[in-house]
Amino acid sequence: MLMDPHLLTTFVTVARHGSFSAAAAELGYTQSAISQQIAALEADLGLPLLSRRPVEPTPAGRRLLEHAEPLLLRLRAARADVLRTAAQPRHLLRLAATPLAVNAVVSARLAEARARQPRLEVRLRTCRAEDLAAVVAEGRADLGLADGLAAPSDPLRLPESGPMTTTGVSEEDLVVVLPGGHPLAGRASLRLADLIDARWLQSPLCPLARLRDLVGDGFPAGLEYEGDDVHTVLALAAAGHGLTLLPASAVPAGGGQVCVVPVSAPRLVHRVELLHAALPAGAPSDVAAVLTG
């Protein structure tokens, strides 16, 4: 017997909330109906999937979650792919981007696309890197722009979300952002290996886990910021809460109360990639061609 996607959705929602009542409110069922759906899924597998007090996945439930979330995403992506050709006017483009993806190169190419198509209407939304692929796969955006740290010409690490085309758009040098009075502020360049014991800002703009992957262990977090506003990150760095890495163009000319020093080693870049599913004729395919040209 194949597992019912509706039951899987209920299971994932309960596990995410850790609550039957919260899942019922999100999905529009009664709490009793949610309990019955979880019981039906457990009966199908012959295994308990959720402990009840507290509500959390059992070992079998944790293993099912590893499969359920990608499977449900693929189902949503398949539905979006079938509906995509008739979903919107040919002149409308829905664009999703991570916080630093819309840089000078992307902005200039969007302006070029709009000059070529005077009727082009662009709707831009920002989202976190871990959500971007799903937003595009599920048809909530036609094109996605992802940014992140990478070695030159290396692709970004994006979550698996089904058939998806990814193409490099731009690569830009990185700089270390330091407080104005920092002892290293006057250097011509810096090696990241020399900064592994410094305090760093943990933020979506510079995920320390990715930095450790690329450079090595270390880079302790002095402060964790969950937002993605560049001005806030610069203010925190200026006040001495931690260092951060940013693309050079993200720091205003003059730097304000921070100093920036280019990274000499290892050779890393800020990379922007375009991702999309199959594109019908119209604005999305036209703009994709300009962005990657």
Side-chain angles (χ1 to χ4, degrees):
M1 178 178 176
L2 294 175
M3 283 182 287
D4 186 332
H6 296 292
L7 301 185
L8 282 178
T9 298
T10 299
F11 168 66
V12 169
T13 307
V14 173
R16 172 161 46 85
H17 285 291
S19 166
F20 282 73
S21 59
E26 177 176 327
L27 297 174
Y29 294 115
T30 64
Q31 186 170 335
S32 174
I34 293 291
S35 298
Q36 291 172 15
Q37 291 175 36
I38 296 299
L41 185 59
E42 291 177 325
D44 178 24
L45 292 172
L47 291 167
L49 299 173
L50 292 167
S51 59
R52 279 9 185 214
R53 293 187 181 180
V55 177
E56 59 185 14
T58 64
R62 288 193 295 272
R63 176 56 68 89
L64 180 58
L65 280 173
E66 294 176 7
H67 296 285
E69 292 177 316
L71 283 171
L72 292 171
L73 175 56
R74 291 294 296 270
L75 287 172
R76 293 192 297 270
R79 183 178 189 275
D81 190 51
V82 171
L83 296 175
R84 190 171 277 115
T85 56
Q88 63 190 53
R90 289 171 57 91
H91 62 274
L92 175 64
L93 172 71
R94 298 168 304 160
L95 180 62
T98 51
L100 294 178
V102 183
N103 56 20
V105 171
V106 170
S107 297
R109 291 181 183 175
L110 278 176
E112 179 184 345
R114 297 187 71 189
R116 293 183 184 185
Q117 303 178 61
R119 294 184 65 231
L120 178 63
E121 178 184 348
V122 179
R123 295 178 185 172
L124 174 63
R125 62 181 290 184
T126 58
C127 61
R128 294 205 168 190
E130 57 267 31
D131 300 324
L132 182 69
V135 167
V136 176
E138 294 170 5
R140 289 179 278 156
D142 305 301
L143 304 177
L145 287 165
D147 77 280
L149 307 181
S153 301
D154 276 2
L156 298 176
R157 293 182 180 178
L158 300 173
E160 171 60 35
S161 56
M164 193 77 67
T165 299
T166 59
T167 310
V169 174
S170 69
E171 290 186 352
E172 182 181 356
D173 289 337
L174 290 160
V175 294
V176 181
V177 181
L178 307 155
H182 196 281
L184 300 177
R187 294 284 187 91
S189 63
L190 287 170
R191 289 163 29 95
L192 291 180
D194 296 333
L195 300 172
I196 59 173
D197 295 324
R199 290 190 305 167
W200 286 76
L201 292 172
Q202 166 62 42
S203 80
L205 302 186
C206 179
L208 296 184
R210 180 60 175 150
L211 190 55
R212 295 178 190 121
D213 285 344
L214 292 165
V215 182
D217 292 337
F219 304 100
L223 183 147
E224 182 172 351
Y225 170 54
E226 296 183 353
D228 52 30
D229 179 70
V230 175
H231 298 291
T232 300
V233 168
L234 293 175
L236 291 170
H241 292 290
L243 311 183
T244 193
L245 280 181
L246 289 175
S249 64
V251 183
Q257 298 180 32
V258 297
C259 293
V260 297
V261 180
V263 175
S264 60
R267 180 79 174 97
L268 298 178
V269 295
H270 175 258
R271 181 174 172 85
V272 176
E273 292 181 357
L274 179 73
L275 61 154
H276 58 81
L279 292 176
S285 59
D286 294 342
V287 174
V290 175
L291 286 173
T292 55

